[in-house]
Amino acid sequence: MPLSRRSLFAASAFGTAAGVLGLPIARAAEPGVIGPGDPGYAELTERGYNRRFTARPQRIFVPADAEGVRAAVERSVHEGLRIAVRSGGHGFDDFVDNEHTRSIIDLQRLTAVDWDAEHGAFSVAAGADLGAMYERLLGGWGVTVPAGICKGVGAGGHISGGGYGPLSRRFGLVADHLYGLEIVTVGTDGRATTLVATKDGPHADLWWAHTGGGGGNFGVVTRYLLRSADSGGSDPARALPAAPGSMLSTRVVLPLATEESFVRFVGNYIAFFERHGAPDDPFAGLYAPLHLKPGITGSDILILLDADRPGARARFDEFVAAISEGVTPPPLVLPPAEKSYGDTLSTVYYAKGMPGFRVKVKSAYLREAYSADQLRVLYRYLTDLRFLGESQVEFLPFGGAVNAVAPGATASPERGSFLKMLIHAAWRNPADDERFVTWAREMYRDVYAATGGVPVPNAAQGGSYINYPDADLADPQWNTSGVPWHAFYYGGNYERLRAIKATWDPGTVFRHSLSLDRPG
């Protein structure tokens, strides 16, 4: 199908990206369209977090606005180029960077964060990173959202996968504050259309799908509209949660662990959050991720606690006492500092940047505490000194306000867990790929040996998180449970999501290794 005159003119509207990227893109064959051999092509193909995967697309589009995105999508469809979309670039798997990708639509120039008076919501462009979003919301209106702790993550994929972070136990998922979105979809005729879908207006099914349905399934989101459910949308200062006034922060370090002290320390930690996972719990303002490092030296807990509520220091002391009980030698508690929320964002939240790792991740939700045997499995793998370096196993606090929402109210089904577990194997040498990937796979398999090597949703475990994707769940070699991959990510919401995809992406333009068109 030939390109329309409108599409050709729109392509010229991409403009040069040199000012944003620092690349001499203006010398490319077309402004804002980069191909192999053009200046900046290599840098753009290597913008992904996981260096195990690098695409070699025929074209990379760097649009400046929603119309540029629409034109790029339509052109890619007309030229038969398989599309992938990049926001912040922090994807853990090969959803963007794979051998089938022929067109990358890079959203890094779409960064605006503004108040949209028409919709009574904050408009966050899909290419904006979380750090810029926090700074703009806080500086302009004194509000925030419960998004992630990594400031370089792009809003695009983070929000569509549900999104969570240090304030989620207090305020819920980011998806719980999603009022609408602007998105480019493709019809049966190959035409790309830009539309707005809102919770209480047109295309509510498409809004719902983006509250946890995952990126790369339905179209290209150009901006999100954020507004809390209890807000009428007339006052920006009340449209999202008020930012905390101040936060306590510090680290608790376990310098060295024997097997028994490891089991006691990690067991104490998990048991604490199991006791305090309810929506109205007094510890809902506590976010304390645990990082367990190979070698079992220097493992630590980062503590973030809202300090503007009465009794904050008493809650801090109670938490430290609970996780330290019976641990010998005891963990080291660094002196806590009280900082404004803005200073906490600047100095405690994780800085932007791509470390250049090669990565394999595995994730799970905990509805009940791990057994001592499961903790000993982790200890066995973490004491293997061949894996010293950047890898770690993380436990990330969940629950609280997240669990106050019904599983079907959004596309994010897991509303009954109190922790996430993440195996984050990371290394730099390509020659080590098989060794590290096998280490992550076998550790996960052995932790969940009782349920086929995977966290089958049941009373004790709640499946996995789509923003930490793992194609092994669709591989019978690593998932011997007989439970299909989609049950781990979408639970009872899967069939509804499949139907929405069929409606809005009838030609399956948007797909990846775990997209909703994949067979069960």
Side-chain angles (χ1 to χ4, degrees):
M1 182 182 297
L3 279 173
S4 69
R5 181 178 176 83
R6 179 185 180 198
S7 297
L8 287 171
F9 278 122
S12 67
F14 293 157
T16 177
V20 176
L21 302 175
L23 306 173
I25 291 174
R27 299 207 314 266
E30 301 174 67
V33 185
I34 299 93
D38 287 336
Y41 178 83
E43 290 89 338
L44 286 168
T45 61
E46 295 174 359
R47 207 165 76 79
Y49 178 86
N50 191 349
R51 295 299 173 83
R52 286 177 61 208
F53 309 111
T54 303
R56 292 288 181 260
Q58 185 174 329
R59 303 189 194 284
I60 303 176
F61 296 90
V62 192
D65 54 27
E67 173 55 22
V69 173
R70 190 208 64 77
V73 170
E74 190 162 280
R75 178 172 176 180
S76 298
V77 171
H78 290 179
E79 294 183 357
L81 304 178
R82 179 159 166 174
I83 298 171
V85 185
R86 196 187 310 280
S87 176
H90 283 73
F92 281 148
D93 218 290
D94 68 345
F95 287 8
V96 174
D97 296 302
N98 63 73
E99 62 182 353
H100 304 294
T101 297
R102 293 293 176 265
S103 167
I104 290 180
I105 300 175
D106 192 309
L107 302 179
Q108 64 178 281
R109 298 184 71 199
L110 278 66
T111 60
V113 178
D114 298 298
W115 175 251
D116 184 325
E118 177 185 356
H119 294 99
F122 287 100
S123 173
V124 177
D129 62 53
L130 300 186
M133 178 181 70
Y134 291 139
E135 291 171 9
R136 178 70 173 135
L137 292 176
L138 179 63
W141 299 275
V143 298
T144 193
V145 285
I149 198 170
C150 298
K151 293 185 289 185
V153 168
H158 181 71
I159 296 175
S160 62
Y164 81 102
L167 298 180
S168 287
R169 284 167 49 81
R170 185 168 166 183
F171 298 127
L173 301 178
V174 185
D176 298 335
H177 302 269
L178 180 64
Y179 170 72
L181 62 143
E182 181 181 77
I183 184 172
V184 176
T185 62
V186 179
T188 54
D189 60 357
R191 297 284 184 179
T193 302
T194 305
L195 56 88
V196 173
T198 60
K199 180 179 183 178
D200 56 4
H203 319 309
D205 60 337
L206 199 51
W207 158 80
W208 182 86
H210 284 84
T211 60
N217 271 312
F218 309 98
V220 183
V221 176
T222 55
R223 64 188 179 110
Y224 292 99
L225 298 170
L226 299 180
R227 186 176 89 197
S228 299
D230 59 355
S231 169
S234 60
D235 182 359
R238 297 179 181 274
L240 287 172
S246 60
M247 301 190 79
L248 285 174
S249 61
T250 190
R251 290 186 182 270
V252 175
V253 180
L254 190 65
L256 182 65
T258 64
E259 182 170 354
E260 293 310 312
S261 64
F262 175 89
V263 170
R264 187 62 180 259
F265 181 67
V266 181
N268 287 349
Y269 170 90
I270 294 175
F272 181 90
F273 283 102
E274 185 177 32
R275 293 194 302 271
H276 296 284
D280 58 351
D281 191 89
F283 285 88
L286 172 67
Y287 182 74
L290 168 60
H291 311 99
L292 301 170
K293 301 169 184 176
I296 311 297
T297 57
S299 296
D300 71 283
I301 298 173
L302 167 65
I303 298 177
L304 284 170
L305 177 66
D306 48 7
D308 52 355
R309 290 188 170 188
R313 286 304 296 253
R315 286 193 296 277
F316 172 85
D317 292 340
E318 183 178 341
F319 174 65
V320 170
I323 61 175
S324 303
E325 184 181 0
V327 179
T328 304
L332 303 177
V333 183
L334 304 183
E338 183 173 341
K339 302 178 182 181
S340 70
Y341 178 62
D343 286 344
T344 301
L345 290 174
S346 298
T347 61
V348 182
Y349 276 46
Y350 304 156
K352 302 175 186 179
M354 293 292 188
F357 295 151
R358 305 171 75 81
V359 171
K360 177 63 181 175
V361 302
K362 319 281 284 187
S363 71
Y365 288 107
L366 277 69
R367 293 176 176 171
E368 291 183 0
Y370 278 168
S371 67
D373 286 343
Q374 287 175 298
L375 295 179
R376 293 182 195 281
V377 168
L378 290 179
Y379 182 83
R380 173 162 55 86
Y381 278 93
L382 288 168
T383 50
D384 190 333
L385 300 182
R386 295 175 299 166
F387 299 96
L388 292 174
E390 292 87 3
S391 297
Q392 58 186 0
V393 173
E394 301 177 54
F395 287 94
L396 306 156
F398 204 62
V402 175
N403 293 346
V405 178
T410 66
S412 302
E414 185 42 44
R415 301 291 184 161
S417 297
F418 62 89
L419 281 176
K420 291 179 192 257
M421 187 277 292
L422 173 66
I423 295 172
H424 185 275
W427 64 100
R428 296 180 185 273
N429 187 347
D432 291 332
D433 282 5
E434 182 177 357
R435 182 162 61 90
F436 276 86
V437 170
T438 300
W439 178 73
R441 284 171 165 167
E442 292 183 349
M443 183 184 341
Y444 193 69
R445 178 200 64 195
D446 291 353
V447 167
Y448 291 103
T451 51
V454 289
V456 173
N458 58 25
Q461 49 213 27
S464 303
Y465 179 43
I466 190 58
N467 279 358
Y468 300 156
D470 175 20
D472 291 346
L473 289 175
D475 184 344
Q477 178 182 354
W478 298 105
N479 174 7
T480 62
S481 69
V483 176
W485 67 271
H486 53 77
F488 296 86
Y489 294 119
Y490 301 121
N493 293 334
Y494 174 67
E495 292 300 337
R496 183 179 176 187
L497 285 167
R498 288 260 296 179
I500 295 170
K501 179 171 177 62
T503 298
W504 289 103
D505 184 23
T508 318
V509 170
F510 303 100
R511 58 193 188 276
H512 50 69
S513 56
L514 287 177
S515 53
L516 287 163
D517 57 287
R518 179 173 183 143

mmCIF file of all heavy atoms in Angstrom, residues 117-140:
data_model
loop_
_atom_site.group_PDB
_atom_site.id
_atom_site.type_symbol
_atom_site.label_atom_id
_atom_site.label_comp_id
_atom_site.label_asym_id
_atom_site.label_seq_id
_atom_site.Cartn_x
_atom_site.Cartn_y
_atom_site.Cartn_z
ATOM 1 N N ALA A 117 -5.998 20.588 31.295
ATOM 2 C CA ALA A 117 -7.258 21.086 31.858
ATOM 3 C C ALA A 117 -8.467 20.459 31.188
ATOM 4 O O ALA A 117 -9.517 20.278 31.823
ATOM 5 C CB ALA A 117 -7.310 22.606 31.725
ATOM 6 N N GLU A 118 -8.356 20.117 29.913
ATOM 7 C CA GLU A 118 -9.486 19.518 29.204
ATOM 8 C C GLU A 118 -9.927 18.211 29.854
ATOM 9 O O GLU A 118 -11.125 17.944 30.008
ATOM 10 C CB GLU A 118 -9.117 19.274 27.741
ATOM 11 C CG GLU A 118 -10.209 18.593 26.946
ATOM 12 C CD GLU A 118 -9.798 18.252 25.524
ATOM 13 O OE1 GLU A 118 -8.671 18.615 25.118
ATOM 14 O OE2 GLU A 118 -10.602 17.597 24.822
ATOM 15 N N HIS A 119 -8.958 17.391 30.248
ATOM 16 C CA HIS A 119 -9.274 16.096 30.842
ATOM 17 C C HIS A 119 -9.189 16.109 32.370
ATOM 18 O O HIS A 119 -9.489 15.090 33.008
ATOM 19 C CB HIS A 119 -8.338 15.024 30.287
ATOM 20 C CG HIS A 119 -8.529 14.761 28.828
ATOM 21 N ND1 HIS A 119 -7.718 15.306 27.864
ATOM 22 C CD2 HIS A 119 -9.471 14.029 28.168
ATOM 23 C CE1 HIS A 119 -8.135 14.905 26.665
ATOM 24 N NE2 HIS A 119 -9.186 14.138 26.819
ATOM 25 N N GLY A 120 -8.772 17.238 32.944
ATOM 26 C CA GLY A 120 -8.654 17.296 34.395
ATOM 27 C C GLY A 120 -7.671 16.290 34.930
ATOM 28 O O GLY A 120 -7.946 15.606 35.925
ATOM 29 N N ALA A 121 -6.500 16.181 34.287
ATOM 30 C CA ALA A 121 -5.503 15.172 34.667
ATOM 31 C C ALA A 121 -4.125 15.651 34.255
ATOM 32 O O ALA A 121 -3.981 16.539 33.395
ATOM 33 C CB ALA A 121 -5.818 13.836 33.993
ATOM 34 N N PHE A 122 -3.111 15.063 34.864
ATOM 35 C CA PHE A 122 -1.741 15.355 34.452
ATOM 36 C C PHE A 122 -1.404 14.546 33.209
ATOM 37 O O PHE A 122 -1.664 13.338 33.141
ATOM 38 C CB PHE A 122 -0.755 15.033 35.574
ATOM 39 C CG PHE A 122 -0.801 16.021 36.697
ATOM 40 C CD1 PHE A 122 -1.499 15.735 37.862
ATOM 41 C CD2 PHE A 122 -0.178 17.255 36.575
ATOM 42 C CE1 PHE A 122 -1.565 16.659 38.889
ATOM 43 C CE2 PHE A 122 -0.225 18.188 37.601
ATOM 44 C CZ PHE A 122 -0.933 17.885 38.760
ATOM 45 N N SER A 123 -0.841 15.216 32.236
ATOM 46 C CA SER A 123 -0.414 14.577 30.998
ATOM 47 C C SER A 123 1.079 14.286 31.103
ATOM 48 O O SER A 123 1.893 15.201 31.256
ATOM 49 C CB SER A 123 -0.683 15.510 29.810
ATOM 50 O OG SER A 123 -0.137 14.984 28.618
ATOM 51 N N VAL A 124 1.435 12.999 31.043
ATOM 52 C CA VAL A 124 2.835 12.573 31.130
ATOM 53 C C VAL A 124 3.193 11.887 29.818
ATOM 54 O O VAL A 124 2.645 10.821 29.494
ATOM 55 C CB VAL A 124 3.058 11.608 32.309
ATOM 56 C CG1 VAL A 124 4.502 11.121 32.344
ATOM 57 C CG2 VAL A 124 2.684 12.284 33.633
ATOM 58 N N ALA A 125 4.068 12.497 29.046
ATOM 59 C CA ALA A 125 4.467 11.922 27.767
ATOM 60 C C ALA A 125 5.182 10.598 27.991
ATOM 61 O O ALA A 125 5.905 10.416 28.978
ATOM 62 C CB ALA A 125 5.364 12.886 26.999
ATOM 63 N N ALA A 126 4.992 9.666 27.060
ATOM 64 C CA ALA A 126 5.481 8.301 27.259
ATOM 65 C C ALA A 126 6.991 8.202 27.260
ATOM 66 O O ALA A 126 7.545 7.208 27.739
ATOM 67 C CB ALA A 126 4.903 7.384 26.185
ATOM 68 N N GLY A 127 7.683 9.201 26.744
ATOM 69 C CA GLY A 127 9.143 9.174 26.765
ATOM 70 C C GLY A 127 9.757 9.841 27.976
ATOM 71 O O GLY A 127 10.980 9.815 28.152
ATOM 72 N N ALA A 128 8.925 10.437 28.830
ATOM 73 C CA ALA A 128 9.442 11.072 30.043
ATOM 74 C C ALA A 128 9.978 10.012 30.995
ATOM 75 O O ALA A 128 9.366 8.956 31.172
ATOM 76 C CB ALA A 128 8.343 11.877 30.734
ATOM 77 N N ASP A 129 11.120 10.284 31.618
ATOM 78 C CA ASP A 129 11.603 9.330 32.617
ATOM 79 C C ASP A 129 10.989 9.665 33.974
ATOM 80 O O ASP A 129 10.479 10.763 34.204
ATOM 81 C CB ASP A 129 13.126 9.273 32.664
ATOM 82 C CG ASP A 129 13.778 10.583 33.065
ATOM 83 O OD1 ASP A 129 13.420 11.147 34.120
ATOM 84 O OD2 ASP A 129 14.659 11.064 32.318
ATOM 85 N N LEU A 130 11.024 8.691 34.877
ATOM 86 C CA LEU A 130 10.352 8.851 36.158
ATOM 87 C C LEU A 130 10.949 9.988 36.972
ATOM 88 O O LEU A 130 10.216 10.709 37.656
ATOM 89 C CB LEU A 130 10.411 7.545 36.951
ATOM 90 C CG LEU A 130 9.774 6.321 36.297
ATOM 91 C CD1 LEU A 130 9.795 5.146 37.268
ATOM 92 C CD2 LEU A 130 8.360 6.598 35.814
ATOM 93 N N GLY A 131 12.251 10.176 36.884
ATOM 94 C CA GLY A 131 12.874 11.258 37.633
ATOM 95 C C GLY A 131 12.344 12.617 37.214
ATOM 96 O O GLY A 131 12.017 13.464 38.056
ATOM 97 N N ALA A 132 12.253 12.855 35.911
ATOM 98 C CA ALA A 132 11.724 14.127 35.415
ATOM 99 C C ALA A 132 10.256 14.284 35.789
ATOM 100 O O ALA A 132 9.796 15.384 36.117
ATOM 101 C CB ALA A 132 11.905 14.202 33.906
ATOM 102 N N MET A 133 9.507 13.192 35.737
ATOM 103 C CA MET A 133 8.098 13.239 36.121
ATOM 104 C C MET A 133 7.946 13.637 37.584
ATOM 105 O O MET A 133 7.148 14.521 37.929
ATOM 106 C CB MET A 133 7.448 11.881 35.873
ATOM 107 C CG MET A 133 5.989 11.807 36.278
ATOM 108 S SD MET A 133 5.252 10.162 36.009
ATOM 109 C CE MET A 133 6.113 9.209 37.283
ATOM 110 N N TYR A 134 8.733 12.999 38.464
ATOM 111 C CA TYR A 134 8.666 13.344 39.885
ATOM 112 C C TYR A 134 8.989 14.831 40.108
ATOM 113 O O TYR A 134 8.293 15.527 40.853
ATOM 114 C CB TYR A 134 9.664 12.506 40.682
ATOM 115 C CG TYR A 134 9.349 11.046 40.794
ATOM 116 C CD1 TYR A 134 10.361 10.092 40.675
ATOM 117 C CD2 TYR A 134 8.064 10.594 41.052
ATOM 118 C CE1 TYR A 134 10.102 8.742 40.793
ATOM 119 C CE2 TYR A 134 7.786 9.249 41.179
ATOM 120 C CZ TYR A 134 8.813 8.321 41.049
ATOM 121 O OH TYR A 134 8.548 6.983 41.168
ATOM 122 N N GLU A 135 10.060 15.292 39.495
ATOM 123 C CA GLU A 135 10.502 16.670 39.710
ATOM 124 C C GLU A 135 9.454 17.669 39.238
ATOM 125 O O GLU A 135 9.176 18.671 39.913
ATOM 126 C CB GLU A 135 11.822 16.908 38.973
ATOM 127 C CG GLU A 135 12.997 16.158 39.584
ATOM 128 C CD GLU A 135 14.244 16.241 38.713
ATOM 129 O OE1 GLU A 135 14.230 17.027 37.732
ATOM 130 O OE2 GLU A 135 15.219 15.529 39.011
ATOM 131 N N ARG A 136 8.848 17.400 38.090
ATOM 132 C CA ARG A 136 7.852 18.319 37.552
ATOM 133 C C ARG A 136 6.583 18.316 38.409
ATOM 134 O O ARG A 136 6.037 19.383 38.725
ATOM 135 C CB ARG A 136 7.527 17.913 36.114
ATOM 136 C CG ARG A 136 6.462 18.764 35.448
ATOM 137 C CD ARG A 136 6.952 20.152 35.146
ATOM 138 N NE ARG A 136 5.972 20.888 34.364
ATOM 139 C CZ ARG A 136 5.603 22.139 34.599
ATOM 140 N NH1 ARG A 136 6.139 22.808 35.606
ATOM 141 N NH2 ARG A 136 4.708 22.742 33.834
ATOM 142 N N LEU A 137 6.108 17.157 38.793
ATOM 143 C CA LEU A 137 4.899 17.088 39.613
ATOM 144 C C LEU A 137 5.117 17.727 40.979
ATOM 145 O O LEU A 137 4.260 18.470 41.483
ATOM 146 C CB LEU A 137 4.459 15.636 39.784
ATOM 147 C CG LEU A 137 3.951 14.911 38.538
ATOM 148 C CD1 LEU A 137 3.653 13.452 38.862
ATOM 149 C CD2 LEU A 137 2.710 15.580 37.970
ATOM 150 N N LEU A 138 6.263 17.465 41.589
ATOM 151 C CA LEU A 138 6.541 18.005 42.908
ATOM 152 C C LEU A 138 6.761 19.511 42.846
ATOM 153 O O LEU A 138 6.189 20.272 43.626
ATOM 154 C CB LEU A 138 7.769 17.322 43.503
ATOM 155 C CG LEU A 138 8.208 17.802 44.889
ATOM 156 C CD1 LEU A 138 7.120 17.514 45.917
ATOM 157 C CD2 LEU A 138 9.529 17.158 45.293
ATOM 158 N N GLY A 139 7.590 19.950 41.904
ATOM 159 C CA GLY A 139 7.910 21.373 41.813
ATOM 160 C C GLY A 139 6.747 22.228 41.369
ATOM 161 O O GLY A 139 6.609 23.385 41.805
ATOM 162 N N GLY A 140 5.886 21.687 40.526
ATOM 163 C CA GLY A 140 4.780 22.485 40.013
ATOM 164 C C GLY A 140 3.537 22.465 40.861
ATOM 165 O O GLY A 140 2.820 23.476 40.960
#
